[in-house]
Amino acid sequence: MAQDCFWMQQALEEAKKAGIKGEVPIGAVLVKNNKKIASAHNLTIAKNDPTAHAEILCLRQAAKRLKNVRLTGTILYVTVEPCALCAGAFIWSRIKKVVFGCWDIKSGACGSVVNLSQIKQFNHHFQCEGGILEKDSAKLLQDFFKDKR
C-alpha cells in the first residue's frame, strides 16, 4: 500500500501539469519492478488528439523506451478510473495491473460503467484496484471543473 501511495502521488504530480495547461487533470505513471518506466498527463487539447489520454501517452512512451509493445509485468498508476479506450490499450499491451485514484461513474471501464479488465473472451486480463488517494484525485478534478464553470 505504501508503494501504491508513492506512485499515485507521482501520478497526481503529472495530473497537476495537465491542469496548468488547461487539460483535464489526469496523470499516469507506469512502473516495472518498482522503477518508473514512463509518465504522462492528458494532452488531448494541446495535441488536437482525442486519444492523447495520460494512460495512452504513458504506454507509448514505455513501449518506445522498452522497445516492445508488450508491457508485461508493469503496473499503471492513474489518477482517474480509465475509460474504454485506455482499458483496451491495457489489454493489447499486456499490462499486469492498473491502480487508480477516483472512480469515473460516467465512463469508467474498470468497474464503474463496465469492467473490461476481466471479460473472459479477451485473451489478456489485468488486475484493477481503485480508490488509492481517491480524495486527492477527485479534488483535482472538482477544482478544475469548478474553475471552468
Side-chain angles (χ1 to χ4, degrees):
M1 179 68 167
Q3 284 181 345
D4 287 345
C5 288
F6 172 80
W7 292 115
M8 187 59 72
Q9 190 61 50
Q10 303 299 307
L12 283 164
E13 291 303 314
E14 284 291 327
K16 290 174 187 173
K17 292 177 190 177
I20 290 167
K21 295 174 182 177
E23 303 274 357
V24 176
I26 298 175
V29 175
L30 190 73
V31 174
K32 185 169 185 171
N33 299 326
N34 206 34
K35 292 186 177 145
K36 181 169 80 170
I37 303 300
S39 61
H41 53 273
N42 271 9
L43 288 174
T44 58
I45 296 166
K47 291 184 174 282
N48 291 311
D49 180 354
T51 69
H53 293 195
E55 301 96 318
I56 299 296
L57 296 174
C58 197
L59 294 180
R60 288 176 183 163
Q61 189 183 113
K64 274 187 180 177
R65 181 169 181 205
L66 298 175
K67 295 178 175 51
N68 195 337
V69 298
R70 309 246 179 193
L71 303 174
T72 57
T74 59
I75 300 172
L76 182 79
Y77 293 87
V78 61
T79 56
V80 179
E81 179 184 5
C83 68
L85 167 76
C86 296
F90 304 156
I91 293 165
W92 288 107
S93 63
R94 308 292 198 268
I95 68 168
K96 177 182 176 182
K97 184 176 182 180
V98 175
V99 177
F100 61 90
C102 61
W103 299 86
D104 183 346
I105 60 169
K106 293 182 180 179
S107 61
C110 291
S112 286
V113 176
V114 67
N115 189 348
L116 295 182
S117 71
Q118 298 299 314
I119 293 178
K120 67 179 182 172
Q121 291 87 347
F122 291 151
N123 63 344
H124 176 74
H125 306 102
F126 57 93
Q127 301 167 26
C128 288
E129 182 178 352
I132 305 298
L133 299 184
E134 180 176 9
K135 289 179 183 175
D136 297 328
S137 297
K139 183 167 177 14
L140 267 181
L141 286 174
Q142 290 163 353
D143 291 350
F144 176 79
F145 287 111
K146 188 185 331 174
D147 290 344
K148 292 284 182 196
R149 293 182 181 133

